[in-house]
Amino acid sequence: HRGEIGLKKYESLDAVAQRLRKTNPRLDTDKALWLAEHWAHKHTDGTWQILGDDAHKIVGAQLYRADEAQEVFKQITAPTLWIDAADDSLSRFWGGQLTQAAHQERLQALANLTMARVEDAGHMLHHDQPEVVARLMENFLATPGNIA
């Protein structure tokens, strides 16, 4: 609330696009520029800032306990589609504390789970392979019993 962890400002739209490409190297320059226009806001001083909530940088006060989360997952009875990227970004974001195998195991607590994997995709798989992700979602939603 005091602003000490505010989101970084960028000198240009191109700099925002470069930031997008840094964490998503599969993103081509044209798409990065298009996304940057929708992902950032230009201030009156000419700088750009990502339209995100800086609160996502704050570690929550509640401890995450995998066993408790899995008990909650077990209560979910709705058909659930989990689309995963082939590029294991969990290791990068979690610093090795959560492996892809452990993550997959946790997901098994969901009673009615359909899992899909998108090749040649990373954390932003909807940017990397939008047609594949859309097709997986459409097929899931078209399956009888998956929507009310």
Side-chain angles (χ1 to χ4, degrees):
H1 296 287
R2 293 183 303 266
E4 66 267 10
I5 61 166
L7 297 175
K8 178 181 174 180
K9 288 187 178 182
Y10 296 87
E11 300 212 7
S12 66
L13 187 62
D14 187 57
V16 175
Q18 288 175 26
R19 162 59 180 82
L20 279 165
R21 294 193 74 214
K22 177 182 176 187
T23 53
N24 188 3
R26 292 175 182 86
L27 197 58
D28 68 46
T29 302
D30 289 341
K31 188 183 273 186
L33 281 168
W34 183 86
L35 285 169
E37 285 185 87
H38 297 84
W39 200 51
H41 167 75
K42 187 175 184 179
H43 293 282
T44 55
D45 65 1
T47 62
W48 290 78
Q49 192 168 21
I50 293 170
L51 294 169
D53 188 342
D54 51 7
H56 83 278
K57 294 179 171 186
I58 300 170
V59 175
Q62 307 308 107
L63 291 176
Y64 178 85
R65 294 183 177 94
D67 57 335
E68 290 177 2
Q70 285 188 280
E71 289 303 314
V72 171
F73 290 171
K74 288 177 185 177
Q75 303 304 309
I76 299 170
T77 59
T80 305
L81 173 63
W82 183 268
I83 305 174
D84 212 354
D87 177 18
D88 178 12
S89 56
L90 281 175
S91 297
R92 184 176 59 219
F93 293 127
W94 283 84
Q97 295 176 15
L98 178 63
T99 66
Q100 189 72 14
H103 177 65
Q104 299 293 325
E105 185 177 322
R106 290 179 185 183
L107 289 173
Q108 295 308 312
L110 292 162
N112 196 353
L113 176 66
T114 299
M115 294 183 74
R117 176 168 292 254
V118 177
E119 297 299 324
D120 193 26
H123 178 66
M124 302 295 271
L125 65 156
H126 56 294
H127 292 172
D128 296 339
Q129 300 291 342
E131 295 86 3
V132 173
V133 172
R135 191 174 333 106
L136 287 166
M137 292 171 65
E138 287 171 347
N139 291 343
F140 178 80
L141 293 171
T143 301
N146 279 353
I147 59 172

